[in-house]
């Protein structure tokens, strides 16, 4: 892998950029691999990369039905934070943030991780109680998070309307300064490039159609639109499509797949310096390096694999945006789209072994898994390599749904994303 | 915004009058008290989450208030039919299913072309 | 001791302009009536107007009206002091539930040539005469509030909502009227 | 209005165009004042005044001019203002009509449009290939957000965001019709005319100010023997006479959603000099159509060649529009570079208007002889099978170099304007949004509608039917019309096309040949992306950002696709299109928000006694949609002082509280008890008529879902109360079970939350205060014990009077029909206040219930707490064989050791009030992460007890009474003792007064 650098760009400029190599190859699938990862999203690619870099397992195929990074990774609003309530979550997301901090250098790919701060607004007494509970738990878990007054919030985010006369005045906010955003595409591409360089096969346009198992029930491989590919270890990292894939192996999942929409405005000069989210009025917003306001909407109320949803969901969010930031009412929506989010009953992910020998699953990230990408890939690689969960994902099991040991970020009134 | 036929109001009405109520045909076990943990998990947590024909519950919350069921394709988001609560899961005809199959989008990256066989595979 | 008087949630309100008038409906008796098949006929007799079997329609006799809301649900409205509750509870045949909601609900009339346009600013239903003829009624949405919509005439509608939503619904209707 | 006979520009062509020279308007552009004709777009007005230069490009800051005449415009994006607050960036000068007093500014330049320091990016352009930022700015690690990112951000972004709240308002309209016809060109009009007679409801929309589409700019065509524009005008007049037809101009269909919902953005006042205050600026239409007729036409493509982006280089069809519609010529010496017939017609029109046409350069070998003949007759030089290989001129094109397609000898031609045409791309945006599937037509080089998934049809140019007669026949058919289309003569031919790189943009050229103008994507960038392994068109799009600008690639996508396909050596359809998404053109947030702002942003619910609280100087808190009186500060009192007084007075004398927001459900029917037994953990059989009981409701998972007091009014009638926030979801859950699990049970549910105003009168003097106001009810403890209900009268109106207490004091909750609430409250106050009756708010209520250890669902529980955890296990009917939650409750983890259980906490230093949400630990000195064993759910200063009180969920709390735990705060560690949560009147004698 030839190194990326300002110097390399200058050198290539001199020969009109003829010298760049492919960032990843498009190999024909081999007949078998040590590990198959299903799904070339951020989490799948990261898993493959850490299998290679941490565990020395490079005979790995990542199978992708479409184009790599084209799932939720390629359509998310890229909010990164770790101020979750429960110890398990804090452990997972904090682990991820640590990895984010060095990721561009580690991958030699600028993922534009920008710690501009994530501010979560409170609008009523209950919001404040919930925020305080998070703040105290975060502090004792070593997670950065602090309380700011409406005035401090305004200073941190000038477009914010803190007038007392609005319908739901801002009563303060929880601010995680280490939180921020990253460039979604770059994350997928960076992992793909480095993983490919270490020998991982990324096979696109290759849809897994069924999962093969021997008489003992153990996994032996998968049938794809590009033929049968064997492996004793298969990791499913298919987000919205997890139920479909696990079904192929006879495992039923506690998941539902909903459309989640987002939209961007036309690009403007820097106006919005951070990330702001509000659970009570349902909106979250940031400004990308290209200048668009990136705005996340909610899920539609029915399950769907269509990557589209109703306009009323997006407008509901824009109402909240214009209420909190009245100066944006004359901005224009440039494009809207949807993804398919896999939602668990307790809104926490599943990263675990399954009842089927050799089958591993990483799913249930729902509306908020982009932030976890490096951490998730890192511990999932560990789980596959050692057939044993890492202590960070030990709690994110499938069993919790029959013993009831849920990690209920939803019930604890945590917010999405 | 979907258009949903309410089998009680006997009319196609806008989605915002309705409330999605999740997967249909999950009966509450009569012996709830002594259900096994596995069976409770199946009942309360496990979902079909079908990519294809889904059977789901709706409530005409801001209308007649009735709960009812629907058969819908979860990729085209088109309804095959809606039917009253308590009615058995309908057997869908080939014709009914074909009518709601989504065509592939033209980009090769996107969904494969849907065929009746694909539905057939599903138990 | 002086008897406490009612306070109308839309006291002293009035809007007229742009081909629409919005006016509060004065105090009425209202009942949420739920009944099984056997009871229907008797209940109708009791209040002097048959409970409509036709979906989404209202029957009116004298000043008492019964609106079809759901398969076993009717909204009955009559002038204050009609004694709807008492009359209905006298019925002996069939099973039913009578719950007075005269104070839960508040009404307003929307009338004029632009009435439909004003309603459709927040109500997603097709309100053309074919889809929603005279004396049609339905529970539906007005912006972010639930309402009962009842067409009294081509250009005259009766809108019902819960009292704490009435200010919102009023504001929505009048704001829409301004924008016509 | 402006001066006597204002000069509206040197480039007006006498006798051309459709605007009345009488009406003029004045506007400023970059500070300089100009005149325009009313009806001018900003673009036509600028061109009339000889201005091409309108902006700087995104990345290289290259000077850019007006390229098109419609919504596809990538370059001429302006900042348009009426006044300081009414300013909008990135407005297309080609769509925005000039109004008198309009202030327009160019964007993305510093310090000025003519001299922009950003151009260094252009000189250094080769250092900024596609995706360069992914490859650099990585060292040192910290420098990204601190140093590089701010620079990149400053350079990126087009206009400046508005900086003041938008004073305008916007409207929404739901509409239904049998036919929604999108596009008011020849085909759309034909369809509308035909359908109108059917009497069906028809909506015809067009994004332009004037309806007529291509016809308006077509000088030659005749239909029915009339000029195209006259024919259009006649139909329009006819349509206006039908009241089943609605015609909306300035209205863009921007989204095609499920089940034939199409959304329209109507620009209502943006063209007016003084919009009436009442009028909305824009209106959002949400149209549910029986059938959608797509007559959206086609958009002309540019040609991809070296330096094809200089100001003065523009689309041929645009020049046709400016000349024939606005009477403006874009230049005096105009060459035409094309691969499509329609551009020839434009050349002829210009020539006839007296403009010099040095040459028509056509890439094609064989060209329709009649075109060549007409060119010769007009004395226009024709360069067959030639291409433009370079252009000169910094702020405006000066000259072009022309070469035979397969030759080298180049010739320089001086021009002040160059028109180009790469042929037409059908507007299939909306069709694709409807999730229809397209197919590729090799011969015409266009994607066309193939499989439809909604009830819609494409007709005319958007269906690839460029021949007008055929298009009109499609229109007839689309609405089940009979007969034949009117006779068409001299229609413009639109055949001939070029997609991808033309000569001088080839693989081995070092030039900048632009594919996407706004995002500065060149042919080179597309090739680089493919070379680097970005083989999916979706990857190419994202790596180069081709088609991601505010024009969404209306002109560039086909070129990008063709260049990528060539590199990949794959046929175009195999590479495929990127996904079309809503909106078709950008839509103002305000329009999407519509009425739902300010007062209408969300419902504000107030209780019947709200005005009484206001009169008492209440401070309100938001609880869901409700405004609830939080506390009642007297002059000079802060919150703490007020609530201390409210608690004290209530406990010593009496307090009055508005509890109307509590949810109420009337459960009626012979099976009511059976139903209650299923819904609540409690048993209900033994609850006598006239008695009340506190009930707990779980979900099947066994966690507390809601609670409330339930009163039995009759054998078959219960008055159920729920939490304020829980009311709707509890009723929904009850209905769910009733309708879907137990439909055979005879019981009905009705929400009575708002039927009853609820006035709580609590405290030692409560009875004394209300007794004289009550009729037909004996209030004595014997006749009416704690937890009972009676029906009778108060203040002469019916009441459901409950003897219940959420404060621990003897007290009543008086339910009266809501409209009476206000006067009943006032009457009670008139009598009680002199005796010391004190209004108290939700905060005092919270304190007093906490002093009694009563939980608040949602504060002391969070959806992970079982009745046992919350110390209300007694509310579970031990003998019951079924109720919602009976299994969930007994799952392994819910009965396991170490669950968090609700306890009281007494701080060792009673003056210290714990913070709600503070975490409880055993070992405060433990290194981070510190194991947490619970948290504080409720905490208050208790004035009555003289010390702080708190409730907390603590691991194994129920068996740890008396033990000391630690609550670490940022600056200190607080010690507290685990105790019973019942702090006040543990024996509970007070409720009996
Ligand atoms: C609109 C939106 C906004 C969001 N905002 C945020 C946010 O702000 N912050 C945050 O942290 N998270 C956010 N999320 C969630 C986040 O995007 C996801 O949790 C995360 O990207 C999941 O990554 P993944 O790699 O697991 O899934 P994906 O990126 O979806 O990858 C799964 C891949 O599996 C492939 N696949 C599926 N089936 C098959 C098959 N049969 N064979 C082969 N391949 C298959 C898919 O094509 C896909 O590429 C958002 C999501 C959406 C949709
Ligand atoms: N300038 C020309 O020579 C020219 C241009 C177009 C069409 N034609 C010919 O004229 C005949 C009929 O043309 P047509 O009617 O198919 O196309 P048209 O271009 O004449 O009309 C299409 C109209 O639809 C409008 N439109 C497009 N998308 C819209 C949207 N989303 N919302 C609202 N309005 C929208 C356009 O502004 C345009 O006014 C065809 O034979 C075609 O070949 C000629
Ligand atoms: C953070 C972020 C920023 C985006 N910015 C733009 C943009 O500036 N312009 C644009 O056309 N699309 C933008 N998109 C949307 C993509 O074009 C595309 O809609 C999205 O990746 C979903 O893919 P699909 O629409 O092809 O299904 C952005 C997407 C994300 C996640
Ligand atoms: Zn209904």
């Amino acid at each position: 892998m030839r190194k990326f650098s300002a110097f390399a760009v200058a050198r290539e400029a001199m020969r009109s950029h003829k010298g760049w190599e492919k960032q990843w190859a498009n190999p024909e699938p081999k007949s078998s691999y040590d590990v198959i990862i299903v799904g070339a999203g951020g989490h799948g690619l990261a898993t493959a990369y850490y299998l290679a870099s941490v565990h020395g397992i490079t005979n790995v195929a990542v199978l992708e039905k479409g184009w790599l990074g084209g799932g939720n990774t390629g359509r998310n609003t890229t909010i990164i934070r770790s101020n979750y309530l429960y110890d398990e979550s804090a452990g997972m997301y904090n682990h991820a943030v640590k990895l984010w901090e060095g990721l561009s250098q580690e991958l030699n790919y600028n993922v534009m991780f920008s710690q501009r701060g994530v501010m979560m607004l409170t609008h009523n007494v209950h919001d404040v109680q919930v925020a305080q509970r998070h703040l105290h738990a975060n502090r004792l878990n070593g997670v950065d998070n602090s309380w700011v007054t409406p005035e401090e919030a305004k200073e941190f985010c000038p477009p914010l309307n803190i007038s007392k006369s609005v319908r739901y005045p801002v009563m303060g906010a929880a601010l995680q300064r280490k939180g921020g955003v990253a460039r979604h595409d770059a994350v997928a591409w960076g992992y793909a490039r480095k993983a490919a360089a270490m020998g991982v096969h990324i096979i696109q346009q290759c849809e897994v159609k069924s999962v093969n198992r021997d008489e003992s029930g153990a996994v032996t491989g998968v049938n794809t639109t590009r033929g049968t590919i064997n492996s004793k270890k298969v990791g499913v990292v298919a987000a919205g499509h997890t139920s479909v894939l696990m079904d192929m192996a006879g495992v039923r999942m506690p998941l539902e797949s909903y459309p989640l929409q987002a939209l961007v405005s036309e690009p403007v000069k820097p106006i919005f310096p951070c990330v702001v989210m509000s659970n009570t009025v349902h909106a979250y917003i940031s400004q990308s390096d290209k200048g668009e306001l990136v705005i996340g909407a909610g899920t539609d109320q029915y399950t769907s694999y269509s990557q589209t949803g109703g306009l009323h969901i997006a407008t509901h969010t824009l109402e909240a945006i214009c209420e909190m930031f009245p100066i944006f009412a004359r901005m224009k929506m440039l494009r809207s789209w949807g993804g398919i989010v896999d939602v668990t009953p307790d809104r926490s992910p599943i990263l675990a072994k399954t009842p089927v020998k050799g089958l591993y699953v990483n799913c249930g990230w729902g509306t908020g898994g982009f932030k976890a990408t490096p951490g998730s890939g890192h511990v999932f690689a560990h789980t596959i390599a050692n057939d044993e969960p890492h202590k960070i994902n030990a709690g994110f099991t499938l069993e919790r749904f029959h013993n009831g040991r849920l990690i209920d970020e939803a019930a604890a009134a945590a917010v999405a994303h | 915004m979907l258009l949903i036929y309410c089998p009680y109001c006997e009319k196609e009405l806008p989605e915002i009058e309705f409330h999605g109520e999740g997967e249909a045909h999950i009966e509450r076990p009569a012996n709830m008290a002594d259900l096994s943990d596995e069976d409770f998990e199946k009942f309360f947590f496990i979902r079909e989450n079908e990519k294809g024909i889904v059977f789901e519950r709706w409530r005409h919350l801001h209308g007649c208030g009735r709960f009812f069921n629907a058969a819908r394709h979860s990729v085209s988001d088109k309804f095959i039919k809606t039917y009253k609560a308590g009615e058995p899961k309908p057997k869908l005809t080939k014709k009914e299913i074909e009518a709601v199959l989504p065509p592939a989008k033209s980009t090769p990256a996107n969904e494969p072309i849907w065929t009746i066989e694909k539905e057939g595979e599903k138990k | 001791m002086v008897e406490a008087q009612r306070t109308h949630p839309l006291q002293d309100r009035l809007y007229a302009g742009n081909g629409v008038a919005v006016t509060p409906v004065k105090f009425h008796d209202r009942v949420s009536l739920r009944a099984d098949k056997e009871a229907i006929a008797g209940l109708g007799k009791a209040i002097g107007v048959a409970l409509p079997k036709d979906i989404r329609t209202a029957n009116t006799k004298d000043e008492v009206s019964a609106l079809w809301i759901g398969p076993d649900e009717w909204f009955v409205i009559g002038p204050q002091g009609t004694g709807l509750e008492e009359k209905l509870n006298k019925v002996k045949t069939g099973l039913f539930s009578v719950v007075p909601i005269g104070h839960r609900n508040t009404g307003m009339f929307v009338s004029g040539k632009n009435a439909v346009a004003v309603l459709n600013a927040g109500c997603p239903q097709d309100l053309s005469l074919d889809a929603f003829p005279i004396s049609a009624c339905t529970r539906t949405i007005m912006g972010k509030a639930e309402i009962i919509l009842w067409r009294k005439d081509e250009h005259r509608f009766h809108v019902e909502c819960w009292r704490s939503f009435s200010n919102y619904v009023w504001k929505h209707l009048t704001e829409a009227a301004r924008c016509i | 209005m402006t001066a006597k006979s204002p000069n509206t520009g040197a480039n007006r062509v006498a006798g051309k165009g459709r605007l009345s020279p009488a009406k003029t308007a004045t506007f400023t552009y970059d500070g300089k004042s100009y005149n325009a004709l009313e009806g001018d777009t900003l673009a036509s007005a600028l061109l009339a005044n000889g201005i091409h230069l309108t902006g700087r490009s995104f990345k290289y800051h290259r000077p850019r001019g007006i390229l098109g005449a419609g919504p596809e415009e990538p370059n001429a994006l302006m900042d348009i203002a009426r006044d300081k607050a009414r300013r909008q960036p990135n407005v297309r000068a080609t769509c925005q009509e000039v109004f008198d007093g309009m202030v327009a500014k160019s964007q993305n330049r510093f310090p000025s449009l003519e001299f922009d320091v950003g151009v260094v990016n252009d000189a250094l352009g080769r250092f900024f290939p596609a995706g360069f930022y992914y490859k650099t700015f990585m060292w040192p690690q910290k420098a990204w957000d601190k140093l590089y990112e701010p620079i990149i951000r400053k350079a990126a972004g087009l206009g400046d965001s508005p900086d003041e709240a938008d004073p305008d308002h916007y409207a929404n309209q739901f509409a239904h019709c049998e036919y929604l016809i999108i596009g008011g060109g020849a085909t759309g009009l034909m369809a509308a005319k035909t359908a109108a007679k059917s009497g069906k409801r028809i909506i015809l929309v067009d994004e332009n100010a004037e309806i007529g589409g291509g016809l308006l700019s077509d000088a030659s065509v005749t239909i029915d023997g009339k000029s195209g524009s006259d024919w259009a005008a006649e139909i329009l007049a006819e349509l206006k006479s039908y009241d089943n037809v609605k015609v909306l101009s300035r209205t863009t269909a921007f989204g095609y959603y499920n089940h034939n919902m199409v959304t329209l953005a109507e620009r209502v006042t943006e063209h007016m000099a003084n919009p009436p205050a009442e009028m909305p600026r824009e209106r959002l239409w949400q149209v549910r159509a029986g059938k959608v007729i797509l007559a959206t036409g086609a958009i002309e493509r540019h040609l991809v060649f070296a330096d094809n982006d200089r100001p003065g280089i523009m689309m041929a069809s645009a020049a046709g529009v400016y000349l024939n519609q606005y009477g403006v010529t874009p230049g005096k010496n105009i060459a035409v570079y094309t691969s499509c017939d329609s551009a020839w017609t434009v050349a002829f029109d210009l020539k006839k208007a007296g403009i010099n046409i040095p040459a028509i350069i056509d890439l094609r070998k064989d060209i329709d002889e009649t075109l060549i003949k007409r060119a010769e007759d007009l004395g226009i030089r024709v360069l067959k099978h030639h291409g433009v290989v370079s252009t000169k001129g910094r702020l405006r094109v000066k000259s072009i170099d022309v070469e035979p397609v397969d030759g080298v000898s180049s010739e320089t031609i001086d021009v002040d304007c160059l028109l180009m045409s790469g042929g037409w791309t059908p507007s299939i945006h909306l069709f694709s949004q409807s999730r229809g599937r397209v197919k590729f037509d090799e011969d015409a080089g266009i994607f066309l509608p193939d499989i439809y998934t909604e009830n819609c049809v494409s007709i005319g140019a958007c269906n690839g039917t460029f021949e007008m007669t055929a298009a009109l026949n499609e229109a007839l058919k689309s609405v089940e019309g009979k007969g034949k289309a009117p006779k068409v003569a001299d229609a413009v031919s639109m055949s001939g096309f070029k997609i991808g790189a033309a000569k001088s943009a080839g693989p081995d050229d070092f030039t900048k040949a632009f594919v996407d103008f706004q995002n500065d994507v060149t042919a080179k960038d597309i090739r680089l992306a493919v070379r680097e392994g970005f083989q999916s068109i979706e990857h190419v799009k994202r790596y180069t950002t081709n088609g991601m600008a505010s024009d969404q690639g209306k002109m560039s996508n086909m070129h990008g696709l063709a260049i990528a396909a060539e590199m990949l050596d794959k046929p175009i359809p195999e590479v495929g299109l990127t996904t079309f998404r809503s909106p078709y053109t950008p839509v103002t947030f305000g329009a999407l928000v519509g009425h739902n702002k300010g007062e209408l942003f969300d419902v504000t619910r107030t209780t019947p006694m709200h005005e009484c609280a206001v009169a008492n100087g209440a401070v309100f808190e938001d609880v869901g949609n409700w405004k609830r009186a939080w506390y009642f500060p007297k002059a000079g009192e802060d919150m703490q002082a007020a609530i201390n007084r409210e608690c004290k007075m209530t406990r010593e004398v009496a307090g009055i509280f508005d509890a109307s927001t509590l949810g109420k459900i009337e459960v009626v029917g012979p099976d009511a008890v059976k139903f209650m037994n299923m819904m609540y953990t409690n048993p209900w059989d033994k609850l006598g008529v006239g008695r009340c009981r506190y009930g707990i409701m779980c979900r099947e998972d066994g966690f507390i879902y809601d609670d409330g007091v339930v009163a039995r009014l009759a054998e078959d009638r219960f008055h159920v109360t729920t939490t304020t926030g829980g009311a709707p979801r509890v009723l929904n859950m009850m209905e769910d079970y009733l309708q879907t699990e137990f439909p055979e049970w005879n019981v009905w549910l009705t929400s009575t939350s708002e039927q009853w105003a609820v006035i709580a009168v609590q405290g030692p003097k409560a009875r004394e205060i209300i007794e004289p106001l009550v009729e037909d009810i004996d209030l004595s403890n014997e006749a009416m014990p704690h937890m009972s209900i009676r029906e009778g009268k108060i203040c002469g109106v019916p009441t459901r009077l409950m003897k219940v207490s959420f404060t621990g004091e003897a007290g009543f909750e008086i339910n009266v029909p809501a409209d009476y609430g206000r006067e009943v409250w006032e009457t009670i106050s008139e009598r009680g206040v002199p005796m010391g009756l004190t209004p108290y708010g939700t905060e005092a209520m919270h304190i007093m219930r906490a002093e009694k250890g009563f939980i608040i669902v949602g504060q002391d529980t969070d959806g992970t707490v079982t009745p046992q955890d919350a110390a209300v296990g007694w509310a579970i009917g031990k003998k019951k064989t079924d109720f919602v939650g009976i299994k969930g409750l007994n799952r392994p983890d819910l009965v396991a050791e170490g669950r968090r259980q609700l306890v009281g906490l007494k701080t060792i230093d009673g003056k210290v009030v714990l913070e709600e949400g503070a975490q409880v630990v055993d070992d405060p000195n433990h290194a981070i992460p510190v194991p947490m064993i619970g948290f504080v759910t409720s905490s208050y200063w208790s004035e009555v007890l003289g010390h702080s009180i708190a409730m907390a969920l603590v691991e194994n709390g129920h068996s740890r009474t008396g033990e000391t735990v630690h609550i670490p705060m940022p600056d200190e560690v607080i010690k507290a003792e685990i105790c019973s949560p019942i702090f006040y009147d543990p024996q509970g004698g007070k409720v009996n007064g």
Side-chain angles (χ1 to χ4, degrees), chain A residues 17 23 105 139 289 333, chain D residues 126 138 149 166 532 587 968:
Chain A
H17 302 279
Q23 296 197 7
Q105 292 68 29
R139 193 181 74 251
D289 285 345
M333 173 167 84
Chain D
R126 56 164 60 170
M138 287 176 274
E149 190 184 35
D166 184 356
E532 289 197 70
V587 182

Side-chain angles (χ1 to χ4, degrees), chain D residues 748-767:
Chain D
W748 285 283
L749 311 171
T750 308
S751 170
T752 50
S753 301
E754 297 213 41
Q755 171 67 12
W756 301 104
V758 184
I759 303 165
V761 180
Q762 303 270 312
K765 285 203 160 55
R767 182 195 298 151

Side-chain angles (χ1 to χ4, degrees), chain A residues 14-35:
Chain A
M14 295 311 155
R15 39 176 156 133
S16 66
H17 302 279
K18 287 274 170 15
W20 297 114
E21 56 193 6
K22 290 207 178 324
Q23 296 197 7
W24 51 79
N26 283 299
E28 280 305 309
K30 296 192 298 181
S31 62
S32 92
Y33 293 90
D34 296 344
V35 177

Side-chain angles (χ1 to χ4, degrees), chain A residues 38-45 63-80 84 206-209 237-242 244-245 248 260-262 284 296-297 337-342 362-363 365-373 417:
Chain A
V38 183
H43 289 224
L45 292 163
L63 310 183
E64 169 54 53
K65 75 172 163 59
W67 39 284
L68 71 85
N72 291 347
T73 300
R75 44 194 76 234
N76 86 95
T77 50
T78 75
I79 297 172
I80 295 171
Y84 283 70
C206 177
E207 180 175 20
V208 171
K209 290 292 201 176
V237 199
H241 281 79
T242 304
V244 180
L245 278 146
M248 297 173 188
L260 181 69
Q261 298 181 58
Y284 46 105
W337 64 93
I340 312 164
V341 295
D342 43 331
N362 177 347
C363 67
W365 293 99
T367 60
F370 176 73
K371 61 178 67 66
T373 305
H417 328 287

